[in-house]
Amino acid sequence: MQRLIDSKDNGLIKMVTGLRRVGKSYLLKTLFKEYLLETGVPKSHILIIDLEDRRKKAFRDPDYLLSWVDEQMRGDGQYYIIIDEVQRVDEFEDMLGSLVGMENADVYVTGSNSHFLSNDIATEFRGRGDEIHVWPLTFTEFMTAYEGDIVDGWQEYYTYGGLPKILSIKGDDKKAAYLRNLYRTVYLSDIYERYEIENKAEFEELVRILASSVGSPVNPTNPSKA
């Protein structure tokens, strides 16, 4: 939050990056929105476009999105434009360039790891992008929401990690199932998309071999032969 606040109105596109399900959308659409309202920004000056919502499919057309923004920005003062999953917009780089060129627009976006790694931002936006990376919860942050003592909290944290959703899931089986599903349907999909991997079964076997060796000495030539 503090990095978002410090970057506010700096003339750059604020790009919130990080793992899927780490809380990027919540940070922007809930916490940062609340901050803007508390500091006196009118609700009508906060424009949120959630591209994960099927009902917002029309906004994937960059010209439609820009026209809609133009229609909303009728009043004086600064407008704050928040776009969630911006990579779903066709030609989103050009669209963002148009938005950031507007005098009274401050732009914030989230995107998937298949499009929005740090080197992508440096290459595609060349000084127009301000990356704000969100990490999973630290143990201290985890314990602020964990209902239990510190010993049980530590065991759960080192077993399941610091994704915020874990705190609201009850039962070890359900927590493990959530992580397995996230790994297969989200994280692997990002890797396949980014690197255009076709031999998915072979890739998953390689990952399994490497993961099974975590914490033990690994001869790098062995996995290369898999």
Side-chain angles (χ1 to χ4, degrees):
M1 269 297 294
Q2 191 57 53
R3 289 195 61 193
L4 278 176
I5 293 168
D6 292 342
S7 299
K8 180 172 166 287
D9 300 324
N10 66 359
L12 301 176
I13 306 165
K14 269 65 70 174
M15 299 177 173
V16 181
T17 63
L19 286 172
R20 300 263 197 166
R21 306 297 181 262
V22 80
K24 303 186 297 293
S25 299
Y26 186 79
L27 174 65
L28 276 180
K29 296 190 296 182
T30 301
L31 299 180
F32 189 62
K33 177 185 175 183
E34 289 175 358
Y35 167 80
L36 292 175
L37 293 172
E38 289 170 0
T39 54
V41 176
K43 187 176 180 179
S44 61
H45 284 224
I46 304 171
L47 309 181
I48 298 178
I49 302 170
D50 182 358
L51 290 165
E52 282 200 315
D53 187 340
R54 175 70 179 181
R55 291 166 294 189
K56 300 293 175 60
K57 183 179 178 180
F59 287 91
R60 296 177 190 176
D61 179 338
D63 296 320
Y64 178 90
L65 189 152
L66 290 171
S67 295
W68 181 84
V69 169
D70 286 339
E71 290 175 5
Q72 303 303 310
M73 294 175 62
R74 298 294 188 183
D76 296 328
Q78 189 81 313
Y79 281 78
Y80 296 88
I81 303 169
I82 297 171
I83 306 175
D84 195 20
E85 298 295 339
V86 71
Q87 80 283 347
R88 292 178 179 266
V89 180
D90 297 332
E91 301 176 336
F92 70 88
E93 298 93 342
D94 287 344
M95 181 274 297
L96 289 176
S98 297
L99 286 179
V100 79
M102 300 172 70
E103 266 187 35
N104 56 337
D106 196 25
V107 183
Y108 301 77
V109 303
T110 73
S112 75
N113 281 340
S114 60
H115 292 82
F116 263 36
L117 297 182
S118 296
N119 58 330
D120 300 324
I121 293 171
T123 301
E124 294 292 341
F125 297 97
R126 294 182 177 84
R128 294 181 299 167
D130 184 359
E131 182 183 11
I132 297 168
H133 193 79
V134 180
W135 299 93
L137 301 175
T138 65
F139 179 58
T140 300
E141 292 166 340
F142 182 88
M143 286 305 299
T144 64
Y146 180 74
E147 297 178 357
D149 63 38
I150 193 169
V151 175
D152 291 339
W154 173 242
Q155 182 175 4
E156 183 154 327
Y157 183 77
Y158 75 65
T159 302
Y160 300 111
L163 293 179
K165 182 69 175 176
I166 288 293
L167 284 158
S168 64
I169 298 174
K170 304 300 181 184
D172 291 342
D173 290 345
K174 290 186 177 180
K175 293 178 192 292
Y178 170 73
L179 293 177
R180 281 195 299 268
N181 183 61
L182 200 59
Y183 165 72
R184 285 200 167 274
T185 63
V186 178
Y187 296 151
L188 283 181
S189 294
D190 276 351
I191 294 172
Y192 296 150
E193 182 180 352
R194 179 174 181 82
Y195 296 105
E196 300 180 353
I197 294 174
E198 296 181 358
N199 299 323
K200 296 178 182 179
E202 290 85 349
F203 177 78
E204 290 187 31
E205 178 63 13
L206 174 61
V207 172
R208 187 193 64 77
I209 292 170
L210 293 174
S212 68
S213 301
V214 171
S216 62
V218 176
N219 182 342
T221 62
N222 289 337
S224 69
K225 297 175 183 177

